[in-house]
Amino acid sequence: MDVALDPTLGCGQAHRWRKNGDVWEGVIGNDAADIRQTEDGLEFSGTSESALKHYFRAEDDLKVIYSDISSRDNHVSSLAVMCPGMRILRQPAWECTATYILATNANVKRIGCMIDSVCRELGRDIGKGRASFPSPADILEGIDRIDSCRLGYRKDRLIMLAQIVEDGILDPEALKEMDYPECRRTLLGVTGIGPKVADCVCLFAYGHLEAFPVDARISRSLEKVYGVRGGYDRLAAFGRERFGSYAGYAQELLYHSDIIMRSRSQAHSGGEHPI
DNA sequence: CATCAACCTGATCA
DNA sequence: ATGATCAGGTTGA
């Protein structure tokens, strides 16, 4: 399995990975996993190889996927060359849905803070100072401690989500059987899940690789690179039509390149040299 | 279907 | 130092 850890774990599709030296520390399911990139693969502890392969979607043939989206678009083609080994993850359905409900209208840093505190306050200790992402029952049982997580208006949305899952009104497992349109439609029925979150969950949890989530970054990229502008549906449709059945991979490449570009331009803009 | 203000909170900027 | 603005959106009018 060819995978580049840095772009895969560091580009914001999953929010719980932190790089400590050359080791990526995080949580996969209930495993406190540590992963390190070596010359010829991965070195890992705290989890199993099968769990790792599942999480990294080892069955995705990057060669096929990259060449498909590259053949459709020159810009993405050059990004693919610059960023080999970036993979879409397969995150646990419940966790992914809950974290993306929390990840609305906040910057990356704050999203990380919110999710960390939710795990710390409501999840279970899994060793190495890490905690699992809380189950719906964990959240409902610890509901009196949730204020300390400072989720703002996301708090009620998270509680409602936990409640409908606990009540069996929404079954994250059942959505695995659905195709992309049905999965998306079902998710959109949940309070707090709009088109962007629905597409993220479709892509990062349910493996609908044709999903093309449009966030603020992608919106900027599409305008800058392709001169396309418009509302959510228009931009998402553009992405799916242009990049095809692996539009989600193209989206991640565009997203990742925007991070690189913006961090570069910031570094050259001057004016932010503290001390 | 497009537009728009309001919404928790914490960081950044003027 | 203190107020405005913004940040990986969603909702309801």
mmCIF file of all heavy atoms in Angstrom, chain A residues 5 9 16-20 22-28 31-37 42-48 52 56 126-130:
data_model
loop_
_atom_site.group_PDB
_atom_site.id
_atom_site.type_symbol
_atom_site.label_atom_id
_atom_site.label_comp_id
_atom_site.label_asym_id
_atom_site.label_seq_id
_atom_site.Cartn_x
_atom_site.Cartn_y
_atom_site.Cartn_z
ATOM 1 N N LEU A 5 2.017 9.671 4.623
ATOM 2 C CA LEU A 5 1.333 10.024 5.863
ATOM 3 C C LEU A 5 1.066 11.526 6.003
ATOM 4 O O LEU A 5 -0.026 11.935 6.419
ATOM 5 C CB LEU A 5 2.170 9.541 7.062
ATOM 6 C CG LEU A 5 1.705 8.297 7.824
ATOM 7 C CD1 LEU A 5 0.924 7.327 6.964
ATOM 8 C CD2 LEU A 5 2.883 7.620 8.498
ATOM 9 N N LEU A 9 -2.733 12.406 6.630
ATOM 10 C CA LEU A 9 -3.200 12.621 8.007
ATOM 11 C C LEU A 9 -3.181 14.097 8.398
ATOM 12 O O LEU A 9 -3.802 14.480 9.386
ATOM 13 C CB LEU A 9 -2.338 11.823 8.989
ATOM 14 C CG LEU A 9 -2.361 10.305 8.787
ATOM 15 C CD1 LEU A 9 -1.438 9.627 9.793
ATOM 16 C CD2 LEU A 9 -3.784 9.770 8.912
ATOM 17 N N ARG A 16 -7.918 14.145 14.392
ATOM 18 C CA ARG A 16 -7.319 13.747 15.660
ATOM 19 C C ARG A 16 -5.854 13.354 15.570
ATOM 20 O O ARG A 16 -5.294 12.832 16.525
ATOM 21 C CB ARG A 16 -8.117 12.606 16.281
ATOM 22 C CG ARG A 16 -9.549 13.018 16.567
ATOM 23 C CD ARG A 16 -10.222 12.066 17.527
ATOM 24 N NE ARG A 16 -9.533 12.048 18.802
ATOM 25 C CZ ARG A 16 -9.689 11.087 19.706
ATOM 26 N NH1 ARG A 16 -10.480 10.070 19.442
ATOM 27 N NH2 ARG A 16 -9.056 11.144 20.857
ATOM 28 N N TRP A 17 -5.221 13.564 14.420
ATOM 29 C CA TRP A 17 -3.823 13.171 14.276
ATOM 30 C C TRP A 17 -2.902 14.329 14.575
ATOM 31 O O TRP A 17 -3.117 15.445 14.118
ATOM 32 C CB TRP A 17 -3.574 12.644 12.866
ATOM 33 C CG TRP A 17 -4.278 11.351 12.616
ATOM 34 C CD1 TRP A 17 -5.500 11.196 12.015
ATOM 35 C CD2 TRP A 17 -3.839 10.051 12.989
ATOM 36 N NE1 TRP A 17 -5.843 9.865 11.981
ATOM 37 C CE2 TRP A 17 -4.840 9.133 12.576
ATOM 38 C CE3 TRP A 17 -2.700 9.553 13.626
ATOM 39 C CZ2 TRP A 17 -4.725 7.761 12.791
ATOM 40 C CZ3 TRP A 17 -2.584 8.199 13.829
ATOM 41 C CH2 TRP A 17 -3.597 7.313 13.415
ATOM 42 N N ARG A 18 -1.848 14.027 15.355
ATOM 43 C CA ARG A 18 -0.837 15.037 15.646
ATOM 44 C C ARG A 18 0.518 14.419 15.349
ATOM 45 O O ARG A 18 0.759 13.267 15.688
ATOM 46 C CB ARG A 18 -0.885 15.467 17.115
ATOM 47 C CG ARG A 18 -2.263 15.911 17.617
ATOM 48 C CD ARG A 18 -2.633 17.304 17.105
ATOM 49 N NE ARG A 18 -3.923 17.724 17.656
ATOM 50 C CZ ARG A 18 -5.090 17.491 17.063
ATOM 51 N NH1 ARG A 18 -5.130 16.842 15.915
ATOM 52 N NH2 ARG A 18 -6.211 17.911 17.616
ATOM 53 N N LYS A 19 1.380 15.232 14.751
ATOM 54 C CA LYS A 19 2.708 14.710 14.448
ATOM 55 C C LYS A 19 3.681 15.077 15.558
ATOM 56 O O LYS A 19 3.839 16.259 15.888
ATOM 57 C CB LYS A 19 3.209 15.254 13.113
ATOM 58 C CG LYS A 19 4.369 14.442 12.565
ATOM 59 C CD LYS A 19 4.777 14.900 11.178
ATOM 60 C CE LYS A 19 5.847 13.959 10.610
ATOM 61 N NZ LYS A 19 6.363 14.439 9.324
ATOM 62 N N ASN A 20 4.291 14.060 16.118
ATOM 63 C CA ASN A 20 5.250 14.251 17.195
ATOM 64 C C ASN A 20 6.595 13.731 16.700
ATOM 65 O O ASN A 20 6.803 12.524 16.638
ATOM 66 C CB ASN A 20 4.770 13.490 18.440
ATOM 67 C CG ASN A 20 5.677 13.737 19.633
ATOM 68 O OD1 ASN A 20 6.676 14.451 19.530
ATOM 69 N ND2 ASN A 20 5.332 13.143 20.760
ATOM 70 N N ASP A 22 8.731 12.415 14.074
ATOM 71 C CA ASP A 22 8.346 11.814 12.796
ATOM 72 C C ASP A 22 7.226 10.784 12.991
ATOM 73 O O ASP A 22 6.938 10.005 12.088
ATOM 74 C CB ASP A 22 9.565 11.177 12.112
ATOM 75 C CG ASP A 22 10.169 10.055 12.950
ATOM 76 O OD1 ASP A 22 9.808 9.937 14.133
ATOM 77 O OD2 ASP A 22 11.002 9.303 12.413
ATOM 78 N N VAL A 23 6.614 10.796 14.156
ATOM 79 C CA VAL A 23 5.545 9.834 14.437
ATOM 80 C C VAL A 23 4.182 10.510 14.454
ATOM 81 O O VAL A 23 3.981 11.523 15.126
ATOM 82 C CB VAL A 23 5.775 9.134 15.802
ATOM 83 C CG1 VAL A 23 4.629 8.171 16.096
ATOM 84 C CG2 VAL A 23 7.107 8.402 15.806
ATOM 85 N N TRP A 24 3.270 9.940 13.681
ATOM 86 C CA TRP A 24 1.886 10.422 13.720
ATOM 87 C C TRP A 24 1.148 9.693 14.837
ATOM 88 O O TRP A 24 1.073 8.459 14.841
ATOM 89 C CB TRP A 24 1.203 10.177 12.377
ATOM 90 C CG TRP A 24 1.572 11.192 11.342
ATOM 91 C CD1 TRP A 24 2.519 11.056 10.368
ATOM 92 C CD2 TRP A 24 1.014 12.499 11.181
ATOM 93 N NE1 TRP A 24 2.592 12.203 9.599
ATOM 94 C CE2 TRP A 24 1.677 13.106 10.088
ATOM 95 C CE3 TRP A 24 0.023 13.226 11.854
ATOM 96 C CZ2 TRP A 24 1.374 14.388 9.645
ATOM 97 C CZ3 TRP A 24 -0.282 14.512 11.423
ATOM 98 C CH2 TRP A 24 0.388 15.080 10.327
ATOM 99 N N GLU A 25 0.635 10.469 15.785
ATOM 100 C CA GLU A 25 -0.073 9.890 16.917
ATOM 101 C C GLU A 25 -1.557 10.173 16.775
ATOM 102 O O GLU A 25 -1.966 11.319 16.557
ATOM 103 C CB GLU A 25 0.450 10.493 18.234
ATOM 104 C CG GLU A 25 1.946 10.288 18.414
ATOM 105 C CD GLU A 25 2.493 10.966 19.659
ATOM 106 O OE1 GLU A 25 1.821 11.887 20.204
ATOM 107 O OE2 GLU A 25 3.601 10.604 20.084
ATOM 108 N N GLY A 26 -2.361 9.125 16.913
ATOM 109 C CA GLY A 26 -3.792 9.338 16.747
ATOM 110 C C GLY A 26 -4.602 8.184 17.276
ATOM 111 O O GLY A 26 -4.112 7.371 18.065
ATOM 112 N N VAL A 27 -5.835 8.135 16.823
ATOM 113 C CA VAL A 27 -6.753 7.097 17.276
ATOM 114 C C VAL A 27 -7.475 6.513 16.071
ATOM 115 O O VAL A 27 -7.999 7.251 15.232
ATOM 116 C CB VAL A 27 -7.794 7.685 18.263
ATOM 117 C CG1 VAL A 27 -8.802 6.624 18.658
ATOM 118 C CG2 VAL A 27 -7.099 8.260 19.495
ATOM 119 N N ILE A 28 -7.438 5.195 15.982
ATOM 120 C CA ILE A 28 -8.216 4.508 14.959
ATOM 121 C C ILE A 28 -9.215 3.611 15.680
ATOM 122 O O ILE A 28 -8.819 2.641 16.318
ATOM 123 C CB ILE A 28 -7.317 3.662 14.031
ATOM 124 C CG1 ILE A 28 -6.301 4.556 13.317
ATOM 125 C CG2 ILE A 28 -8.175 2.907 13.011
ATOM 126 C CD1 ILE A 28 -5.340 3.791 12.418
ATOM 127 N N ASP A 31 -8.259 2.161 19.074
ATOM 128 C CA ASP A 31 -6.824 1.922 19.177
ATOM 129 C C ASP A 31 -6.054 3.237 19.229
ATOM 130 O O ASP A 31 -6.263 4.111 18.387
ATOM 131 C CB ASP A 31 -6.323 1.118 17.957
ATOM 132 C CG ASP A 31 -6.929 -0.281 17.900
ATOM 133 O OD1 ASP A 31 -7.402 -0.759 18.959
ATOM 134 O OD2 ASP A 31 -6.920 -0.881 16.818
ATOM 135 N N ALA A 32 -5.172 3.331 20.197
ATOM 136 C CA ALA A 32 -4.246 4.464 20.244
ATOM 137 C C ALA A 32 -3.075 4.118 19.329
ATOM 138 O O ALA A 32 -2.160 3.425 19.722
ATOM 139 C CB ALA A 32 -3.774 4.715 21.666
ATOM 140 N N ALA A 33 -3.150 4.624 18.101
ATOM 141 C CA ALA A 33 -2.195 4.203 17.081
ATOM 142 C C ALA A 33 -1.066 5.206 16.909
ATOM 143 O O ALA A 33 -1.269 6.414 16.981
ATOM 144 C CB ALA A 33 -2.919 4.007 15.750
ATOM 145 N N ASP A 34 0.122 4.673 16.686
ATOM 146 C CA ASP A 34 1.282 5.486 16.320
ATOM 147 C C ASP A 34 1.806 4.964 14.992
ATOM 148 O O ASP A 34 1.994 3.766 14.833
ATOM 149 C CB ASP A 34 2.383 5.367 17.374
ATOM 150 C CG ASP A 34 1.946 5.921 18.725
ATOM 151 O OD1 ASP A 34 1.362 7.020 18.740
ATOM 152 O OD2 ASP A 34 2.175 5.253 19.746
ATOM 153 N N ILE A 35 2.024 5.870 14.052
ATOM 154 C CA ILE A 35 2.462 5.445 12.731
ATOM 155 C C ILE A 35 3.642 6.298 12.274
ATOM 156 O O ILE A 35 3.635 7.521 12.442
ATOM 157 C CB ILE A 35 1.336 5.579 11.691
ATOM 158 C CG1 ILE A 35 0.006 5.077 12.260
ATOM 159 C CG2 ILE A 35 1.690 4.803 10.425
ATOM 160 C CD1 ILE A 35 -1.157 5.278 11.328
ATOM 161 N N ARG A 36 4.604 5.639 11.696
ATOM 162 C CA ARG A 36 5.776 6.356 11.195
ATOM 163 C C ARG A 36 6.046 5.923 9.771
ATOM 164 O O ARG A 36 5.941 4.745 9.430
ATOM 165 C CB ARG A 36 6.993 6.040 12.066
ATOM 166 C CG ARG A 36 8.197 6.923 11.809
ATOM 167 C CD ARG A 36 9.224 6.714 12.908
ATOM 168 N NE ARG A 36 9.865 5.406 12.817
ATOM 169 C CZ ARG A 36 10.970 5.173 12.077
ATOM 170 N NH1 ARG A 36 11.504 6.147 11.378
ATOM 171 N NH2 ARG A 36 11.508 3.980 12.050
ATOM 172 N N GLN A 37 6.386 6.908 8.951
ATOM 173 C CA GLN A 37 6.716 6.604 7.562
ATOM 174 C C GLN A 37 8.174 6.155 7.492
ATOM 175 O O GLN A 37 9.058 6.802 8.019
ATOM 176 C CB GLN A 37 6.530 7.862 6.701
ATOM 177 C CG GLN A 37 6.638 7.603 5.227
ATOM 178 C CD GLN A 37 5.275 7.585 4.573
ATOM 179 O OE1 GLN A 37 4.441 8.429 4.852
ATOM 180 N NE2 GLN A 37 5.046 6.617 3.699
ATOM 181 N N LEU A 42 5.270 1.532 6.199
ATOM 182 C CA LEU A 42 4.866 2.107 7.470
ATOM 183 C C LEU A 42 5.375 1.255 8.623
ATOM 184 O O LEU A 42 5.483 0.042 8.523
ATOM 185 C CB LEU A 42 3.343 2.178 7.559
ATOM 186 C CG LEU A 42 2.620 2.999 6.505
ATOM 187 C CD1 LEU A 42 1.115 2.964 6.778
ATOM 188 C CD2 LEU A 42 3.129 4.424 6.485
ATOM 189 N N GLU A 43 5.664 1.951 9.711
ATOM 190 C CA GLU A 43 5.988 1.269 10.952
ATOM 191 C C GLU A 43 4.902 1.726 11.919
ATOM 192 O O GLU A 43 4.643 2.922 12.049
ATOM 193 C CB GLU A 43 7.360 1.775 11.422
ATOM 194 C CG GLU A 43 8.070 0.896 12.398
ATOM 195 C CD GLU A 43 9.464 1.467 12.670
ATOM 196 O OE1 GLU A 43 10.393 1.111 11.923
ATOM 197 O OE2 GLU A 43 9.597 2.300 13.578
ATOM 198 N N PHE A 44 4.235 0.783 12.557
ATOM 199 C CA PHE A 44 3.115 1.195 13.401
ATOM 200 C C PHE A 44 3.029 0.379 14.674
ATOM 201 O O PHE A 44 3.578 -0.718 14.767
ATOM 202 C CB PHE A 44 1.813 1.067 12.619
ATOM 203 C CG PHE A 44 1.492 -0.343 12.197
ATOM 204 C CD1 PHE A 44 0.708 -1.156 13.012
ATOM 205 C CD2 PHE A 44 1.977 -0.852 11.000
ATOM 206 C CE1 PHE A 44 0.410 -2.454 12.628
ATOM 207 C CE2 PHE A 44 1.700 -2.153 10.623
ATOM 208 C CZ PHE A 44 0.906 -2.959 11.426
ATOM 209 N N SER A 45 2.332 0.924 15.652
ATOM 210 C CA SER A 45 2.065 0.192 16.890
ATOM 211 C C SER A 45 0.714 0.643 17.422
ATOM 212 O O SER A 45 0.203 1.698 17.033
ATOM 213 C CB SER A 45 3.163 0.475 17.921
ATOM 214 O OG SER A 45 3.129 1.834 18.298
ATOM 215 N N GLY A 46 0.147 -0.163 18.274
ATOM 216 C CA GLY A 46 -1.115 0.200 18.907
ATOM 217 C C GLY A 46 -2.343 -0.217 18.133
ATOM 218 O O GLY A 46 -3.468 -0.054 18.607
ATOM 219 N N THR A 47 -2.152 -0.725 16.930
ATOM 220 C CA THR A 47 -3.287 -1.176 16.136
ATOM 221 C C THR A 47 -2.847 -2.344 15.246
ATOM 222 O O THR A 47 -1.678 -2.702 15.240
ATOM 223 C CB THR A 47 -3.879 -0.025 15.292
ATOM 224 O OG1 THR A 47 -5.114 -0.445 14.710
ATOM 225 C CG2 THR A 47 -2.897 0.380 14.202
ATOM 226 N N SER A 48 -3.785 -2.901 14.509
ATOM 227 C CA SER A 48 -3.453 -4.059 13.682
ATOM 228 C C SER A 48 -3.258 -3.649 12.227
ATOM 229 O O SER A 48 -3.728 -2.598 11.799
ATOM 230 C CB SER A 48 -4.578 -5.087 13.760
ATOM 231 O OG SER A 48 -5.744 -4.572 13.149
ATOM 232 N N LEU A 52 -5.404 -0.977 9.961
ATOM 233 C CA LEU A 52 -4.702 0.086 9.250
ATOM 234 C C LEU A 52 -5.083 0.094 7.766
ATOM 235 O O LEU A 52 -5.369 1.140 7.177
ATOM 236 C CB LEU A 52 -3.194 -0.149 9.407
ATOM 237 C CG LEU A 52 -2.292 1.064 9.482
ATOM 238 C CD1 LEU A 52 -2.731 1.990 10.604
ATOM 239 C CD2 LEU A 52 -0.851 0.631 9.693
ATOM 240 N N PHE A 56 -6.953 3.132 5.849
ATOM 241 C CA PHE A 56 -6.305 3.832 4.733
ATOM 242 C C PHE A 56 -6.868 3.447 3.367
ATOM 243 O O PHE A 56 -6.328 3.840 2.350
ATOM 244 C CB PHE A 56 -4.795 3.574 4.752
ATOM 245 C CG PHE A 56 -4.053 4.402 5.762
ATOM 246 C CD1 PHE A 56 -3.552 3.832 6.919
ATOM 247 C CD2 PHE A 56 -3.870 5.759 5.563
ATOM 248 C CE1 PHE A 56 -2.869 4.597 7.856
ATOM 249 C CE2 PHE A 56 -3.183 6.534 6.493
ATOM 250 C CZ PHE A 56 -2.685 5.948 7.652
ATOM 251 N N ILE A 126 -8.093 5.161 26.423
ATOM 252 C CA ILE A 126 -7.590 3.994 25.689
ATOM 253 C C ILE A 126 -6.067 3.900 25.791
ATOM 254 O O ILE A 126 -5.423 3.226 25.002
ATOM 255 C CB ILE A 126 -8.003 4.050 24.200
ATOM 256 C CG1 ILE A 126 -7.520 5.349 23.549
ATOM 257 C CG2 ILE A 126 -9.506 3.889 24.052
ATOM 258 C CD1 ILE A 126 -7.694 5.377 22.039
ATOM 259 N N GLY A 127 -5.512 4.601 26.776
ATOM 260 C CA GLY A 127 -4.076 4.522 26.994
ATOM 261 C C GLY A 127 -3.291 5.583 26.243
ATOM 262 O O GLY A 127 -3.838 6.291 25.392
ATOM 263 N N LYS A 128 -2.013 5.719 26.584
ATOM 264 C CA LYS A 128 -1.130 6.732 25.986
ATOM 265 C C LYS A 128 -1.689 8.138 26.143
ATOM 266 O O LYS A 128 -1.400 9.022 25.310
ATOM 267 C CB LYS A 128 -0.924 6.446 24.493
ATOM 268 C CG LYS A 128 -0.255 5.112 24.201
ATOM 269 C CD LYS A 128 -0.063 4.952 22.704
ATOM 270 C CE LYS A 128 0.502 3.573 22.356
ATOM 271 N NZ LYS A 128 0.545 3.344 20.907
ATOM 272 N N GLY A 129 -2.537 8.328 27.152
ATOM 273 C CA GLY A 129 -3.110 9.650 27.353
ATOM 274 C C GLY A 129 -4.149 10.024 26.319
ATOM 275 O O GLY A 129 -4.516 11.182 26.185
ATOM 276 N N ARG A 130 -4.633 9.047 25.593
ATOM 277 C CA ARG A 130 -5.642 9.327 24.563
ATOM 278 C C ARG A 130 -6.998 8.738 24.940
ATOM 279 O O ARG A 130 -7.077 7.824 25.755
ATOM 280 C CB ARG A 130 -5.208 8.748 23.220
ATOM 281 C CG ARG A 130 -4.027 9.516 22.619
ATOM 282 C CD ARG A 130 -3.449 8.817 21.404
ATOM 283 N NE ARG A 130 -2.001 8.717 21.518
ATOM 284 C CZ ARG A 130 -1.228 8.076 20.655
ATOM 285 N NH1 ARG A 130 -1.765 7.476 19.598
ATOM 286 N NH2 ARG A 130 0.065 8.036 20.828
#
